[in-house]
Amino acid sequence: MEKRIFTSESVTRGHPDKICDQIADRILDEALWQDPNSRVACEVTCATDQVHIFGEITTQAELDYEALARKVIAECGYTRRGKGFDAASCRVRVDLHRQSPDIDRGVSRSEDADPLDSGAGDQGLMFGYACRQTPSLMPFPIEMAHALAKRLEQTRTSGRLPWLLPDGKTQVTVEYDGETPVRIATVVVSAQHEEDIGLQQLRDDILSHVILPVLPKELTDERTEFYINPTGRFVEGGPAADSGLTGRKLIVDSYGGYARHGGGALSGKDATKVDRSGAYMARYLAKNIVAADLADRCEVQLSYAIGLAEPTSVLVETFGTAKVNQQAIQAFIHSSVDLRPAAIIRRFGLNRPIFSEVSCYGHFGSNASRMPWEQTDLCGAG
């Protein structure tokens, strides 16, 4: 088969966009911990010396938004004053109001109505994907990019490389033979660092402590290229160097660009928003179809209309790899899985405070292996 290449990227917890996602999901989790019926649509942006929290939240919870934000920022590693952004001194502005009653009337139902008939909190379309490239049934490039970003973070927090700072990015280019990864062609790691570290030492240390322990040896060779801090300097980083915003890393959050994405961001939204619950269900269906050996690749699209409980469309695409009739797979989904948003919330327990665990390093795959939408418990029903 014709060889091709594909690239995916990831970022560390200290990346400005990911700081925002983590603050938004920490607020969501705290609201759900106190009030499982909380409605949250929280956006966050950050820049030099400042964080802005805004959006719509309706909850019985009593939340200290500023304290939650500062705690997340400190956990991300921004604790040193005088560097343009730190947990203790940055300004935190909060502009939140209650959810629009026009949205609420589409989601809420009267007390005598079936609670599972609650409507979707917005219109939207979501994609879920699974394939046989990795044990987690995820595309190989994004799993590798996440593994490198996690290793970079762990190397910093462990103190093994004390000159590392919180911001960082990774990128992996993979060569394929058909749908099989056969070689890692290029690895890029950009790591924020202290000013007094020499470039050659930095590159040697990142290669030996971060990159080589992660990459599968059988997929690298003498032609594999490594680009470590390609500009030669990455001292200024984080929000002091680049603004951050929730939802701006949605491809990193999902399939690394290998599969389609509906466009809706995940973090900061409670599960009545189908951008979140629908995306999790679509992945669950696709993964179970592949895990049950009904297909080698599967993409599931769901779509919803605001105020309506049932999806407006369900599409299963197996790219010619189905082991059974594709229409039979789709019929099984329709007959066996309740796709109403409230039913998805009940099935996965999405009114629990679990979302901070996936606000960085991916909502799917090995990073989310303990999450209910990553389980293959549907397989025995088919």
Side-chain angles (χ1 to χ4, degrees):
M1 301 181 87
E2 182 180 354
K3 291 189 176 180
R4 59 189 180 86
I5 58 172
F6 191 87
T7 302
S8 292
E9 69 163 353
S10 183
V11 298
T12 63
R13 293 185 64 194
H15 186 279
D17 295 330
K18 275 295 148 197
I19 294 172
C20 296
D21 285 340
Q22 290 169 92
I23 292 172
D25 273 339
R26 186 67 61 85
I27 289 170
L28 171 63
D29 277 354
E30 183 65 23
L32 292 174
W33 182 75
Q34 297 185 41
D35 176 10
N37 295 315
S38 296
R39 301 278 173 75
V40 178
C42 180
E43 304 289 352
V44 181
T45 187
C46 63
T48 303
D49 283 333
Q50 60 186 297
V51 172
H52 187 193
I53 301 168
F54 57 102
E56 304 85 46
I57 296 181
T58 300
T59 182
Q60 298 299 314
E62 296 183 2
L63 304 176
D64 187 336
Y65 298 105
E66 180 176 337
L68 288 169
R70 294 190 189 280
K71 184 176 182 181
V72 170
I73 295 165
E75 290 171 356
C76 290
Y78 293 98
T79 57
R80 297 170 56 188
R81 290 178 178 265
K83 299 295 183 180
F85 188 81
D86 69 86
S89 68
C90 70
R91 291 174 290 149
V92 180
R93 176 181 170 185
V94 180
D95 290 303
L96 292 164
H97 56 83
R98 292 177 64 84
Q99 184 184 68
S100 161
D102 294 339
I103 297 175
D104 179 69
R105 68 182 298 212
V107 177
S108 300
R109 289 291 183 266
S110 62
E111 291 185 3
D112 58 348
D114 183 348
L116 295 183
D117 277 334
S118 297
D122 200 355
Q123 72 176 47
L125 56 120
M126 308 86 219
F127 288 95
Y129 182 77
C131 62
R132 297 197 178 280
Q133 295 179 24
T134 61
S136 63
L137 303 184
M138 285 285 286
F140 182 74
I142 187 64
E143 284 283 88
M144 276 292 96
H146 284 323
L148 286 168
K150 274 189 173 182
R151 178 77 180 190
L152 184 61
E153 170 91 12
Q154 292 163 356
T155 304
R156 178 185 67 82
T157 57
S158 69
R160 180 171 295 177
L161 299 180
W163 43 264
L164 276 175
L165 295 176
D167 199 356
K169 301 181 76 172
T170 64
Q171 185 172 288
V172 179
T173 300
V174 177
E175 183 178 309
Y176 282 83
D177 186 354
E179 286 296 316
T180 303
V182 295
R183 180 175 168 270
I184 295 173
T186 306
V187 174
V188 182
V189 174
S190 294
Q192 187 189 9
H193 60 89
E194 298 278 13
E195 192 163 8
D196 58 357
I197 184 71
L199 179 59
Q200 191 57 53
Q201 181 186 343
L202 180 150
R203 288 174 171 167
D204 290 344
D205 286 349
I206 293 291
L207 182 64
S208 60
H209 292 288
V210 176
I211 298 175
L212 294 182
V214 169
L215 298 188
K217 292 182 175 59
E218 68 274 13
L219 294 181
T220 60
D221 56 29
E222 67 282 354
R223 295 181 295 126
T224 300
E225 297 181 299
F226 302 102
Y227 296 100
I228 302 168
N229 284 27
T231 66
R233 178 183 170 88
F234 187 4
V235 173
E236 292 188 12
D242 189 13
S243 62
L245 178 66
T246 43
R248 201 155 57 184
K249 287 293 176 286
L250 53 83
I251 299 302
V252 172
D253 287 338
S254 55
Y255 306 101
Y258 200 90
R260 289 180 286 189
H261 192 291
L266 296 163
S267 291
K269 299 175 180 177
D270 75 89
T272 65
K273 283 75 172 173
V274 286
D275 282 341
R276 185 154 224 161
S277 53
Y280 292 162
M281 175 52 79
R283 163 64 177 172
Y284 175 74
L285 293 173
K287 184 175 183 180
N288 273 270
I289 288 167
V290 174
D293 201 29
L294 301 179
D296 291 331
R297 297 172 61 202
C298 183
E299 182 181 75
V300 174
Q301 187 201 46
L302 304 176
S303 68
Y304 292 86
I306 188 169
L308 301 183
E310 295 290 347
T312 55
S313 69
V314 180
L315 175 67
V316 178
E317 173 59 67
T318 56
F319 309 97
T321 69
K323 313 296 179 61
V324 299
N325 185 283
Q326 187 165 296
Q327 295 303 314
I329 298 174
Q330 192 152 326
F332 169 73
I333 290 174
H334 279 291
S335 63
S336 305
V337 185
D338 194 336
L339 298 177
R340 292 175 293 176
I344 298 172
I345 292 170
R346 177 180 290 184
R347 183 180 196 119
F348 294 151
L350 299 182
N351 57 355
R352 297 174 294 149
I354 60 174
F355 300 108
S356 294
E357 293 186 46
V358 293
S359 54
C360 196
Y361 305 123
H363 291 249
F364 311 114
S366 55
N367 184 60
S369 60
R370 299 189 302 167
M371 293 299 163
W373 58 87
E374 284 295 312
Q375 306 315 306
T376 53
D377 51 355
L378 190 63
C379 297

